[in-house]
Amino acid sequence: MSTVDPRPADTAARLPHRLPDGSVLELGTATAAYQIEGAVDVDGRGPSVWDTFTARPGTIKDASSGATACDSYHRHLEDADLVAGLGVRWYRFSIAWPRIQPEGRGRVETRGLDHYDRVVDALLERGIVPTATLYHWDLPQALEDEGGWLVRSTAEAFADYAEVVADRLADRVGVWATHNEPWCTAYLGHAAGVFAPGRREGGGAHRAVHHLNLSHALAAERIRAAHAVDVGTVLNLAPVWPERPEAEPLAERIDALRNRVWLDPLVDGEYGESVLAVAPELADPELVRPGDLELVQGSADWLGVNYYTPTRPDLVVPGRPPHPEGAAYPGVGDFDLVVREPRTDIGWEVVADGLEELLVETHRRTGLPILVTENGAACADAERVDGVVQDDDRIDYLRGHLAATHRARAAGADVRAYVVWTLLDNFEWAEGYTKTFGLVHIDPADQTRTPKASYQWLAQVARGEVTP
């Protein structure tokens, strides 16, 4: 990759916001477009793969969709006020590709760009740093009809889309993420089939992996050409802990697909031997073309880490129910995934020490500044005090993981921010509206927002009144 920076020397000085400098741990919260915006047929938005997927019977637990969600498309000012009320400085949001290019390429819908103009300006007016994610899984359906992430042309179209958005927003948005959790797109969406687009391609899902990696690098170049700074990507990395010594070979293969298939190209410019052992498709020169991996290497200025739970592979035990993500690791072979107690309401094991280990190891592996870009808990939210959700279990979860983040910093990991998932109860993908992660309760009847006890707790942390 060229070391010549095309940006003017005064770019950093002109931009109002940059990556945190690490002197303190910045706090923030996050959302995603399809989960909160609603308004799926407003202002020229085209259909996405999630609109199509949710329309298929049996794909979503409560047969719901993001058609209304939190109605944040119309209530973005109210949401900006909620972020400001927390007293945190960072808000990570995503941009819906189908709002900008309804057909996935070519024609630009200016009303979509105008909406995100208003979102960014509302945040800046309230002293909040806008952090934009270009892709949080809502691929335009028109591109899926042409093959989606299984074909190279989607990576090229993504770079064009990134250029359109950066040209409009890069004068005010300094921190950019290209992708959110490409593992979910590639393997839950193209191997397990439990996320959009609902494909079950087996090892063919590795094709999506490479096109996602390539699309990040191509888009990062375009964003920087628009004089933006601080371009990264967001990965849902996980510590992989074998449940018994005999499961260590399984753990190595799972780690290759969960973590190394993303980090190897970013750091080393290659798919390492352990990755190719389970994903031989990535050795295909028709897929991985000359120059691709050189583009990916060093293409991130920072790395986002989304952490919720560790991964515990085990040998197959007869009679044990299969884990729902078992099919998301093509090429690994037969295995089980063990989930210990305690668990959140979505069934994920709670281990705050896993975050500390992950941050230390990821910084050692990459040398990059790290943002914890998602961390949070799905809780039943059943207890109410004077009409307010008293989510002490969520507070306990956040307290433990925020403390783990501070321990990782003390151990030398360059962790700059801790961003809570999520601001609002929302459409939780295949779970529909049956699981709630939000700091703010959303009334499903009229989308009224009511901050929970965890919202008040995080505000106290931000003000320095509570030490996690």
Side-chain angles (χ1 to χ4, degrees):
M1 177 177 293
S2 171
T3 59
V4 177
D5 191 339
R7 296 169 289 183
D10 66 343
T11 295
R14 291 188 294 104
L15 278 164
H17 302 294
R18 290 288 308 271
L19 200 68
D21 64 11
S23 58
V24 297
L25 183 68
E26 297 279 5
L27 299 178
T29 188
T31 59
Y34 187 75
Q35 293 182 272
I36 69 166
E37 285 184 350
V40 295
D41 56 358
V42 170
D43 288 344
R45 178 189 179 275
S48 77
V49 291
W50 275 93
D51 297 302
T52 302
F53 186 68
T54 57
R56 296 181 197 166
T59 57
I60 309 300
K61 183 174 288 187
D62 59 1
S64 64
S65 74
T68 299
C70 308
D71 195 30
S72 288
Y73 190 79
H74 298 109
R75 296 177 181 235
H76 67 276
L77 294 177
E78 191 174 350
D79 294 343
D81 286 339
L82 285 166
V83 179
L86 275 170
V88 300
R89 291 191 62 241
W90 291 80
Y91 180 60
R92 177 174 169 248
F93 66 99
S94 81
I95 294 165
W97 190 351
R99 289 202 190 279
I100 309 304
Q101 292 179 301
E103 293 83 32
R105 59 166 57 88
R107 181 177 69 89
V108 174
E109 176 51 76
T110 57
R111 290 175 292 181
L113 287 171
D114 291 344
H115 169 70
Y116 294 109
D117 256 339
R118 293 188 292 269
V119 169
V120 168
D121 288 345
L123 294 169
L124 292 173
E125 288 165 4
R126 291 159 176 79
I128 299 161
V129 179
T131 303
T133 300
L134 285 169
Y135 188 75
H136 201 129
W137 309 346
D138 42 1
L139 183 73
Q141 183 60 41
L143 292 182
E144 176 61 24
D145 293 342
E146 298 174 7
W149 289 110
L150 297 178
V151 298
R152 189 180 184 94
S153 59
T154 298
E156 295 163 345
F158 182 69
D160 293 339
Y161 153 67
E163 180 177 349
V164 169
V165 177
D167 281 346
R168 176 64 80 92
L169 300 180
D171 61 329
R172 286 154 292 152
V173 177
V175 183
W176 294 77
T178 53
H179 284 283
N180 179 80
E181 299 185 0
W183 181 86
C184 294
T185 296
Y187 292 122
L188 295 184
H190 293 80
V194 296
F195 273 21
R199 293 178 179 259
R200 292 180 172 86
E201 301 284 338
H206 302 313
R207 296 184 61 83
V209 167
H210 181 64
H211 293 140
L212 287 159
N213 280 331
L214 177 64
S215 72
H216 156 75
L218 294 174
E221 285 189 333
R222 302 288 188 89
I223 297 167
R224 293 188 181 103
H227 308 312
V229 291
D230 295 331
V231 182
T233 190
V234 173
L235 305 175
N236 58 325
L237 306 174
V240 180
W241 298 333
E243 185 67 3
R244 65 183 88 187
E246 294 83 357
E248 288 182 5
L250 282 170
E252 284 292 312
R253 296 197 291 273
I254 287 173
D255 184 61
L257 296 190
R258 187 61 186 251
N259 301 317
R260 294 201 293 270
V261 77
W262 315 109
L263 295 179
D264 284 3
L266 275 177
V267 177
D268 303 323
E270 66 176 7
Y271 294 114
E273 291 183 7
S274 63
V275 170
L276 296 177
V278 291
E281 292 84 352
L282 293 173
D284 180 357
E286 292 297 315
L287 172 64
V288 183
R289 299 181 187 177
D292 283 2
L293 293 174
E294 288 82 358
L295 282 175
V296 178
Q297 185 179 21
S299 57
D301 302 315
W302 58 273
L303 186 66
V305 172
N306 293 356
Y307 173 80
Y308 293 93
T309 191
T311 298
R312 296 185 188 271
D314 195 11
L315 307 178
V316 173
V317 175
R320 184 161 61 195
H323 192 280
E325 292 182 1
Y329 295 90
V332 168
D334 294 333
F335 67 96
D336 279 345
L337 291 174
V338 174
V339 182
R340 297 183 183 180
E341 298 289 348
R343 306 180 188 186
T344 63
D345 192 47
I346 205 169
W348 297 345
E349 181 182 350
V350 178
V351 189
D353 288 348
L355 176 58
E356 178 186 358
E357 175 183 310
L358 184 65
L359 294 174
V360 171
E361 174 58 23
T362 302
H363 180 252
R364 184 202 64 77
R365 176 75 175 92
T366 68
L368 291 171
I370 295 171
L371 310 183
V372 178
T373 36
E374 287 185 23
N375 179 244
C379 300
D381 290 348
E383 185 177 350
R384 300 285 201 281
V385 177
D386 296 329
V388 174
V389 173
Q390 191 65 35
D391 52 341
D392 292 335
D393 44 0
R394 181 173 291 110
I395 293 171
D396 288 343
Y397 180 99
L398 295 175
R399 181 186 292 113
H401 287 76
L402 186 51
T405 304
H406 281 293
R407 292 196 301 272
R409 281 169 54 90
D414 184 10
V415 184
R416 310 266 182 106
Y418 175 85
V419 177
V420 174
W421 184 265
T422 176
L423 178 66
L424 310 172
D425 289 342
N426 57 44
F427 175 76
E428 187 49 47
W429 308 113
E431 302 291 335
Y433 297 96
T434 66
K435 304 300 177 186
T436 54
F437 280 83
L439 300 169
V440 177
H441 172 72
I442 301 294
D443 188 319
D446 61 8
Q447 287 73 54
T448 297
R449 283 112 163 97
T450 305
K452 303 176 186 178
S454 58
Y455 176 99
Q456 307 298 344
W457 175 83
L458 186 60
Q460 289 179 308
V461 174
R463 293 192 299 265
E465 299 171 2
V466 172
T467 302

